[in-house]
Amino acid sequence: NAGVTQTPKFQVLKTGQSMTLQCAQDMNHNSMYWYRQDPGMGLRLIYYSASEGTTDKGEVPNGYNVSRLNKREFSLRLESAAPSQTSVYFCAAPGTDTQYFGPGTRLTVL
Amino acid sequence: DQQVKQNSPSLSVQEGRISILNCDYTNSMFDYFLWYKKYPAEGPTFLISISSIKDKNEDGRFTVFLNKSAKHLSLHIVPSQPGDSAVYFCAASWMDSSYKLIFGSGTRLLVRP
């Protein structure tokens, strides 16, 4: 997971609480991505940013907002958490012929 | 509708034997395919990829085969080792996709000593 860091690693929220997941990359790439992974399913794209200052919806954007703070950082915000958002969240950035993923944030919404 | 499918949730093989993981896709626009390996509590790590202009790519013990007419790819691991036990995800991308990936649901591989 070299090059992509995420904080926090674990988080427990109550329904309706808000939080921001942080991601940073040191590969100097324009693009960054947020995915979620649920049991028995592959990773699904929530939002992505093709360059600093731009963001676009992915496959499952509802309930989330993102901010591309600068070229290094891409944050994911849950304004009002719901139990359906219990998942593992991965941030990613492209490398040569692939994407590199962070270690993930395991989020539980009670 | 799943565009990338891994129909085998799990696979168990003996150490030293071949592991074959399969992946099917439906979207003809896909032109680049990747395999990722994932251990518990870690992010996916890149294993091997193949472009649609090729039908085979090899990297050490890992070989990926692509059959475009069947919209099918497979990952062969020879010989399999206990350390290969992990979840394997197939993913697809396409030109002008901004490097976005569409993932399959994964296959859990267990290599028995």
Side-chain angles (χ1 to χ4, degrees), chain A residues 33-56:
Chain A
Y33 313 83
W34 276 105
Y35 293 86
R36 60 177 286 174
Q37 188 202 358
D38 300 299
M41 302 183 76
L43 283 75
R44 292 181 293 168
L45 184 65
I46 305 171
Y47 268 94
Y48 69 101
S49 170
S51 62
E52 188 178 346
T54 68
T55 61
D56 286 286

Side-chain angles (χ1 to χ4, degrees), chain A residues 5-106:
Chain A
T5 57
Q6 291 182 236
T7 55
K9 288 198 171 186
F10 302 95
Q11 184 72 48
V12 179
L13 294 177
K14 293 181 179 177
T15 297
Q17 287 186 316
S18 62
M19 79 161 295
T20 299
L21 284 67
Q22 305 286 355
C23 174
Q25 56 116 350
D26 61 8
M27 295 175 290
N28 200 36
H29 204 284
N30 287 326
S31 301
M32 295 183 74
Y33 313 83
W34 276 105
Y35 293 86
R36 60 177 286 174
Q37 188 202 358
D38 300 299
M41 302 183 76
L43 283 75
R44 292 181 293 168
L45 184 65
I46 305 171
Y47 268 94
Y48 69 101
S49 170
S51 62
E52 188 178 346
T54 68
T55 61
D56 286 286
K57 294 179 181 179
E59 190 182 349
V60 288
N62 291 345
Y64 304 95
N65 286 304
V66 289
S67 295
R68 184 72 184 270
L69 306 169
N70 48 55
K71 195 170 187 180
R72 271 192 81 242
E73 299 171 287
F74 188 35
S75 63
L76 179 72
R77 182 159 178 85
L78 288 72
E79 290 291 352
S80 179
S84 61
Q85 294 178 304
T86 294
S87 189
V88 183
Y89 291 85
F90 292 101
C91 178
T96 305
D97 297 332
T98 184
Q99 281 191 18
Y100 292 101
F101 287 83
T105 295
R106 184 173 293 275

Side-chain angles (χ1 to χ4, degrees), chain A residues 1 29 31 33 35 37 40-43 45 48 50 59 90 94 97-103 106, chain B residues 2 32 34 36 38 41-46 49 87 89 97-106:
Chain A
N1 308 111
H29 204 284
S31 301
Y33 313 83
Y35 293 86
Q37 188 202 358
M41 302 183 76
L43 283 75
L45 184 65
Y48 69 101
E59 190 182 349
F90 292 101
D97 297 332
T98 184
Q99 281 191 18
Y100 292 101
F101 287 83
R106 184 173 293 275
Chain B
Q2 269 193 299
Y32 190 67
L34 308 90
Y36 283 86
K38 187 182 180 305
E42 294 183 10
T45 55
F46 171 70
S49 63
V87 177
F89 290 100
S97 68
S98 299
Y99 304 100
K100 291 183 290 186
L101 297 176
I102 304 294
F103 282 84
S105 55

